[in-house]
């Protein structure tokens, strides 16, 4: 079953038009409503983080499945692989933050003496900050490139040595990813509130990334199936994807609760400032966040029948993706933009712009090889998988 | 002599068992039961056995456990014996969550275990008469209804020719 995704002119045109329109709307929003510089840069950071998270979470999905020697994911393996091709683009976009450092990161330009920020100066200074960005992205790009090249070699030569190497690459990536995703979340998001810290923050962001990726993979699979591809994707595979989305949404809620409960119960002033801001000024969004990201996937995907229906699962996945965008918004905006923050035309148009870019890069990468991986020893197991 | 009630067909592996079940159903034989030492994948679907309702019971009891736990804690800490603990409000929802979660899991698990025992009619000191003892060891058995003598071991043998059966007897 030779399936080849063709990046049709029609899709290309729609995406380009979408990106241009979104960009123009964003520009209009900037000139019409005059948001502060911090809000604009916070938007860039938010969307960078969101879509980079989807790409990194996709690589995480592949790595975890390979280390566990799972066979069922082989049929959809090319989908997350293609998603990882966005990481180099995210690298360039993240470097742009250099021009907005002073607008969002208060530690980069404080006057006078601030004891807490002085203590953190060894980590939070601009040269080291950007050195770390380069380090993170070099590693991420190197590993995901190696994984993609490995798949290509396997498809061409069907030499089993490429298949055996995968577990090693996956393991190395997981170790590197675990360290760098925590560190990058401290750098990019946690330092927005530089007087605050949370030791669970790295994992919280990791799980947000993974759940968002899972949701995106599901939506992508739904789109491809509707367009006539992935004819051999059965209810059994959808069931497993839905199980993962269900389970990790619950895990995300657990991380959310762990962070919130410990800070609430400990009642330490230096920690509670984070939640006081969010509960007082952003109350509706705060409760919407936990509602969408926990209640919807939990009750929406709890029945076996719901888990086997791709249309329903894709609907829940869409809600989850929007919910996690709101979660990132709540993490980033109060600290970066403060009173200026809102969910308005600027936010929506910029997100659509980034989404268009992400999907464009994704489709290009998807069209570069067969849609279903060839010569993979686990492919038969995946095609005859019963769940 | 009474006509035997059923014919037992023995196997020592699950794949011939599945094939045999399929062939017997195609030949419109009535299968009373299939007994296996461990759950065999696919048999439920072939025999059109309905899904168990035990998970539904688990869900209902889970909700019951959550309500009981949360309700009880609310009553205790707001009406019956309010205490100021660490400066927290009396109706401290975040504090109630761990215990509520644990009670949900507890009630759900215990209910499903109890429902299983009830449905299997397992209670202390029952007498269990196995139809065939060897299924507890390594044998898979299909029990086919004789239908007043219409089905004979010879007939079964001819239907299942080509599948590795160990024994066919009344």
């Amino acid at each position: 079953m030779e399936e080849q995704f063709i990046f049709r002119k029609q899709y290309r045109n729609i995406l380009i038009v979408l990106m241009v329109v979104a960009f123009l709307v964003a520009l209009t929003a900037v000139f019409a409503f005059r948001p502060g510089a911090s809000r604009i840069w916070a938007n860039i950071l938010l969307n960078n983080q969101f879509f980079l998270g989807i790409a990194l979470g996709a690589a995480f999905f592949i790595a975890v499945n390979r280390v566990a020697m799972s066979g069922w994911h082989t049929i959809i393996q090319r989908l997350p692989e293609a998603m990882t091709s966005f990481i180099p683009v995210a690298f360039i976009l993240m470097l742009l933050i250099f021009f907005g450092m002073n607008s969002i990161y208060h530690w980069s330009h404080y006057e006078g003496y601030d004891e807490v920020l002085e203590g953190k100066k060894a980590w939070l200074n601009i040269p080291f900050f950007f050195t770390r960005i380069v380090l993170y992205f070099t590693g991420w790009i190197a590993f995901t490139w190696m994984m993609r090249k490995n798949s290509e070699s396997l498809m061409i030569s069907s030499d089993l040595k490429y298949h055996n190497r995968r577990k090693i690459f996956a393991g190395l990536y997981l170790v590197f990813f675990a360290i760098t995703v925590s560190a990058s979340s401290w750098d990019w998001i946690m330092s927005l509130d530089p007087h605050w810290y949370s030791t669970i923050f790295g994992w919280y962001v990791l799980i947000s990334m993974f759940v968002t990726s899972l949701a995106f993979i599901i939506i992508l699979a739904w789109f491809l199936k509707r367009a006539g591809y992935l004819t051999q994707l059965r209810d059994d595979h959808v069931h497993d994807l839905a199980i993962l989305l269900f389970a990790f949404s619950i895990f995300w809620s657990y991380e959310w609760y762990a962070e919130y409960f410990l800070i609430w119960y400990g009642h330490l002033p230096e920690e509670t400032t984070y939640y006081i801001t969010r509960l007082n000024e952003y109350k509706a969004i705060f409760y919407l966040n936990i509602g969408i990201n926990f209640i919807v996937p939990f009750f929406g995907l709890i029945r076996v029948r719901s888990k086997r229906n791709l249309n329903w699962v894709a609907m829940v996945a869409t809600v989850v993706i929007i919910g996690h965008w709101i979660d990132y918004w709540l993490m980033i905006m109060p600290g970066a933009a403060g009173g200026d923050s809102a969910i308005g035309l600027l936010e929506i148009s910029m997100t659509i712009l980034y989404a268009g870019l992400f999907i464009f890069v994704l489709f290009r990468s998807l069209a570069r090889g067969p849609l279903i991986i060839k010569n993979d020893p686990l492919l038969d197991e995946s095609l005859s998988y019963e769940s | 002599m009474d006509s035997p009630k059923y014919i037992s067909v023995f196997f020592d592996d699950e794949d011939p068992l599945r094939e045999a079940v399929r062939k017997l159903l195609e030949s419109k034989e009535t299968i009373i039961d299939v007994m296996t030492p461990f759950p065999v994948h696919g048999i439920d679907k072939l025999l059109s056995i309905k899904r168990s309702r035990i998970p539904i019971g688990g869900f209902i009891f889970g909700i019951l456990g959550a309500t009981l736990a949360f309700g009880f804690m609310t009553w205790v800490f707001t009406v019956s014996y309010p205490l100021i603990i660490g400066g927290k409000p009396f109706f401290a929802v975040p504090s109630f969550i761990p215990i509520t979660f644990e009670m949900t899991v507890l009630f759900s698990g215990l209910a499903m275990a109890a429902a299983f025992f009830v449905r299997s009619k397992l209670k202390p000191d029952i007498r269990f008469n196995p139809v065939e003892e060897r299924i507890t060891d390594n044998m898979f058995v299909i029990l086919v209804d004789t239908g007043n003598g219409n089905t004979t071991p010879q007939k079964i043998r001819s239907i299942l020719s080509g599948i590795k059966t160990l024994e066919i007897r009344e």
Side-chain angles (χ1 to χ4, degrees):
Chain A
M1 26 81 251
E2 184 72 36
E3 282 199 21
Q4 176 70 38
F5 178 75
I6 303 171
F7 192 8
R8 301 202 332 244
K9 269 250 173 262
Q10 179 195 16
Y11 297 154
R12 217 178 270 262
N13 293 338
I14 294 178
L15 284 171
I16 293 182
V17 165
L18 197 68
M19 284 196 273
V20 168
V21 167
F23 183 66
L24 291 174
V25 171
L27 271 178
T28 322
V30 167
F31 287 113
F33 302 115
R34 300 242 161 242
S38 47
R39 182 169 161 200
I40 302 176
W41 282 109
N43 263 301
I44 295 180
L45 176 67
L46 167 63
N47 286 306
N48 277 350
Q49 177 69 44
F50 185 68
F51 287 99
L52 174 65
I54 295 183
L56 287 174
F60 181 71
F61 176 80
I62 301 174
V64 158
N65 273 302
R66 288 199 182 145
V67 165
M69 297 272 267
S70 92
W72 71 269
H73 79 289
T74 313
I75 185 178
I76 50 162
Q77 209 180 136
R78 281 272 298 148
L79 271 63
E81 240 174 54
M83 281 155 70
T84 61
S85 56
F86 183 73
I87 299 180
V89 179
F91 184 21
I92 301 173
L93 291 171
M94 202 52 105
L95 286 175
L96 285 178
I97 300 278
F98 177 75
F99 299 107
M101 286 297 283
N102 289 346
S103 307
I104 39 179
Y105 291 112
H106 305 299
W107 52 262
S108 59
H109 65 110
Y110 64 94
E111 280 129 29
Y113 180 71
D114 186 320
E115 192 177 344
V116 174
L117 294 184
E118 277 295 317
K120 297 187 183 178
K121 212 172 179 158
W123 183 265
L124 291 179
N125 57 73
I126 296 196
F128 196 14
F129 187 83
F130 280 91
T131 317
R132 282 196 305 274
I133 290 188
V134 171
L135 281 171
Y136 301 148
F137 275 98
T138 316
W140 291 334
I141 294 175
F143 276 113
T144 51
W145 183 82
M146 279 199 290
M147 291 202 277
R148 282 199 303 273
K149 194 91 180 30
N150 177 293
S151 291
E152 261 172 58
S153 314
L154 185 64
M155 282 196 269
I156 298 173
S157 73
S158 76
D159 189 342
L160 270 184
K161 75 172 184 228
Y162 294 115
H163 174 73
N164 294 334
R165 278 187 200 159
R166 283 175 154 185
K167 211 168 168 188
I168 304 174
F169 285 162
L172 289 172
Y173 173 75
L174 282 176
V175 172
F176 183 76
F177 179 66
I179 302 173
T180 50
V181 78
S182 299
S184 66
S185 71
W186 304 330
D187 283 356
W188 302 336
I189 309 183
M190 204 167 82
S191 69
L192 290 168
D193 299 281
H195 294 94
W196 175 80
Y197 70 95
S198 158
T199 47
I200 205 175
F201 201 77
W203 274 34
Y204 180 67
V205 171
L206 162 64
I207 292 301
S208 293
M209 285 185 182
F210 188 44
V211 176
T212 326
S213 287
L214 278 172
F216 195 87
I217 292 174
I218 290 173
I219 296 176
L220 183 60
W222 173 85
F223 169 77
L224 288 172
K225 201 138 172 70
R226 276 200 60 145
Y229 301 96
L230 289 181
T231 46
Q232 291 180 286
L233 186 77
R234 290 199 310 276
D235 287 351
D236 306 284
H237 304 111
V238 175
H239 190 167
D240 270 25
L241 280 170
I243 286 180
L244 283 175
L245 185 65
F246 177 70
F248 281 96
S249 290
I250 297 180
F251 188 36
W252 175 90
S253 313
Y254 172 73
E255 299 283 297
W256 178 90
Y257 177 68
E259 192 178 54
Y260 176 67
F261 184 48
L262 294 199
I263 291 180
W264 179 85
Y265 209 90
H267 214 48
L268 297 173
E270 61 262 24
E271 291 180 357
T272 54
T273 52
Y274 184 80
Y275 282 106
I276 288 178
T277 325
R278 282 151 183 80
L279 276 170
N280 287 343
E281 292 165 43
Y282 304 92
K283 200 176 233 167
I285 297 184
F286 186 78
Y287 289 114
L288 187 71
N289 179 25
I290 185 65
I292 291 187
N293 290 317
F294 175 60
I295 307 281
V296 169
F298 186 79
F299 288 104
L301 291 178
I302 197 167
R303 300 174 67 197
V304 172
R305 220 175 305 161
S306 336
K307 290 201 264 269
R308 294 181 81 91
N309 181 341
L310 186 53
N311 290 329
W312 175 254
V313 177
M315 234 191 293
V316 173
T318 316
V319 174
V320 167
I321 275 199
I322 297 175
H324 279 282
W325 186 90
I326 293 180
D327 180 40
Y328 277 117
W329 188 95
L330 201 60
M331 277 195 265
I332 293 177
M333 283 301 187
D340 210 12
S341 55
I343 298 185
L345 206 54
L346 178 65
E347 278 75 20
I348 298 178
S349 56
M350 285 207 63
T351 308
I352 294 182
L353 171 63
Y354 268 80
L357 181 63
F358 185 82
I359 297 176
F360 193 90
V361 174
L362 163 68
F363 279 1
R364 266 191 61 203
S365 179
L366 208 55
R368 207 167 278 155
L371 191 57
I372 297 182
I373 199 165
K374 288 198 291 209
N375 297 330
D376 191 318
L378 294 169
L379 183 59
D380 283 333
E381 179 185 332
S382 181
L383 292 174
S384 56
Y385 180 67
E386 277 182 56
S387 165
Chain B
M1 186 176 83
D2 282 332
S3 65
K5 304 232 194 52
Y6 55 81
I7 300 172
S8 321
V9 189
F10 291 81
F11 305 83
D12 67 351
D13 199 10
E14 48 178 296
D15 287 315
L17 174 75
R18 262 193 294 256
E19 259 203 79
V21 169
R22 228 170 272 139
K23 276 231 174 94
L24 284 169
L25 287 172
E26 271 171 35
S27 317
K28 301 275 196 262
E29 298 294 339
T30 316
I31 294 184
I32 300 175
D33 203 358
V34 174
M35 299 194 290
T36 58
F38 55 81
V40 173
H41 188 72
I43 292 286
D44 282 357
K45 231 191 302 189
L46 286 171
L47 295 173
S48 310
I49 296 178
K50 285 198 292 232
R51 284 194 64 136
S52 169
R53 279 174 297 184
I54 289 183
I56 300 180
F59 183 73
I60 295 175
F61 272 85
I63 302 275
L64 177 71
T67 324
L68 263 172
F70 198 83
F72 181 63
M73 277 190 283
T74 309
W75 177 74
V76 164
F77 285 109
T78 56
V79 173
S80 167
Y81 210 89
L83 292 170
I84 302 175
I85 302 173
K88 307 290 179 286
F90 291 139
F91 182 53
V93 174
S95 303
F96 296 166
I97 302 252
I99 297 184
T100 309
F101 165 71
E102 300 295 345
M103 288 280 274
T104 310
V105 172
L106 177 73
F107 271 57
S108 178
L110 286 180
M112 286 202 277
F116 176 71
F117 285 134
V118 167
R119 284 289 281 170
S120 317
K121 299 193 177 58
L122 290 173
K123 39 184 196 219
D125 202 32
I126 57 166
R127 299 245 163 273
F128 176 55
N129 290 318
V131 167
E132 177 57 54
E133 268 176 4
R134 284 178 286 172
I135 60 144
T136 58
D137 191 8
N138 69 331
M139 284 288 176
F140 302 75
V141 185
I142 304 180
L143 301 178
V144 186
D145 195 8
T146 51
N148 293 329
N150 281 342
T151 309
T152 61
Q154 283 73 21
K155 194 169 173 207
I156 305 265
R157 209 163 284 135
S158 67
I159 297 175
L160 297 181
S161 62
I163 301 178
K164 177 168 177 271
T165 62
L166 257 59
E167 237 180 272
I168 300 180
R169 63 181 174 85
E170 322 244 60

